[in-house]
Amino acid sequence: MLLKEKAEEIPGHDVRRRSLLIAGTGKSYGFERPPNKGGKTMYDIAVVGAGPAGVSAAIYGASRGKTVLVLEQEAVGGVIGKVSTVTHYAGILESETGGSFAARLKRQTEKSGVKLVYERVTGVRLKGEVKKIFTEGHVYEAGRVILANGTPPNRLNIPGEEELTGLGMNMNAARDGEQYRGRHVYVVGGADGAVKEAIYLSGLAEKVTVLHFEETLGAISEFQQKVKAAGNIEVKLHTRLTAVAGKGRIEKLELTDVRDGSTFWR
């Protein structure tokens, strides 16, 4: 989405008319930026989320002379900042990690003149000329709001997960991988993201077991070939992790065969 200013005065209003140009359509839609009232900072654009999509939108808006606010609850980069390696993405460096990619996103955001605020957004009001974004401590106003908040990592919602998360059960291989060096690690999931993390962990762990409920892995061919070449990755298909147990740390896993419903503990 591209923003373009038409620098056109509107009689009787202390505002300038701007236009919204939807990329690829060639159509331009005018909108007004209301005058600042009540002493609050009025942004042209507010972006919720500082992942790659949100950062790209914010930087582009700032480059067109717009005042841009970005609200992020954790860290620039979002979920991609937590992965072990970034692959199949335009503009990445060789051996790019999620951390290095996120760091470059942050530097570029800060240099662009975008206002970056770390707060958790609790709601938005998108009706009317002045849009409002509510956080746990403030209310922000903008003429336009871009929602690029992404999605949180999926939880399994199984017995023992809440009590043992962080105690041998984690969701960030890049951050937590070292604690699994020389151990047997289980990775849940058979799509690209999970399999890529399994490949990364195979360089640290003695053995990696991938649990996937379908009959075949859903990862791309490149990743499947790397799994076969690793030498210490076992793939258990048609299998779900259905419970975890332990005292102060994970000690046992309940696995379920989805074909016949049989369960066993590891």
Side-chain angles (χ1 to χ4, degrees), residues 175-190:
R175 181 192 64 200
D176 303 314
E178 278 296 329
Q179 64 181 280
Y180 302 127
R181 184 177 289 278
R183 300 190 177 193
H184 185 180
V185 180
Y186 287 78
V187 174
V188 180

Side-chain angles (χ1 to χ4, degrees), residues 152-167:
N154 293 327
R155 290 191 172 273
L156 300 174
N157 296 318
I158 59 175
E161 179 181 16
E162 184 175 351
E163 297 83 358
L164 293 171
T165 293
L167 300 172

Side-chain angles (χ1 to χ4, degrees), residues 27 31 45 79 116 119 122 124 140 149 181 256:
K27 296 181 180 180
F31 71 90
I45 305 168
V79 173
L116 182 58
E119 292 184 28
T122 57
V124 295
Y140 297 93
N149 43 308
R181 184 177 289 278
T256 299

Side-chain angles (χ1 to χ4, degrees), residues 9-121:
E9 297 296 329
I10 303 175
H13 292 74
D14 185 22
V15 295
R16 287 180 296 178
R17 177 172 293 281
R18 289 166 166 77
S19 65
L20 182 64
L21 178 63
I22 307 300
T25 67
K27 296 181 180 180
S28 181
Y29 304 89
F31 71 90
E32 300 173 12
R33 177 183 176 187
N36 187 2
K37 295 181 180 180
K40 287 186 177 181
T41 300
M42 175 71 184
Y43 294 92
D44 289 316
I45 305 168
V47 181
V48 179
V55 165
S56 297
I59 291 173
Y60 190 88
S63 74
R64 294 303 183 264
K66 309 303 178 185
T67 56
V68 183
L69 168 71
V70 173
L71 292 162
E72 166 59 43
Q73 68 173 346
E74 292 186 1
V76 173
V79 173
I80 200 171
K82 300 177 181 179
V83 302
S84 57
T85 55
V86 182
T87 57
H88 310 109
Y89 202 96
I92 59 174
L93 302 176
E94 187 175 353
S95 301
E96 185 86 88
T97 68
S100 65
F101 184 71
R104 290 194 293 117
L105 283 179
K106 183 180 179 182
R107 287 196 298 271
Q108 190 174 2
T109 304
E110 292 173 340
K111 289 181 179 180
S112 71
V114 168
K115 174 75 171 178
L116 182 58
V117 175
Y118 295 97
E119 292 184 28
R120 179 174 175 270
V121 173

Side-chain angles (χ1 to χ4, degrees), residues 209-246:
T209 298
V210 176
L211 303 176
H212 188 45
F213 66 92
E214 295 186 345
E215 294 294 328
T216 59
L217 289 177
I220 61 175
S221 176
E222 175 189 337
F223 292 163
Q224 295 197 40
Q225 291 301 317
K226 288 182 177 180
V227 166
K228 293 177 181 178
N232 63 339
I233 300 179
E234 176 189 9
V235 178
K236 289 190 70 64
L237 299 172
H238 47 77
T239 302
R240 288 187 184 274
L241 176 63
T242 48
V244 292

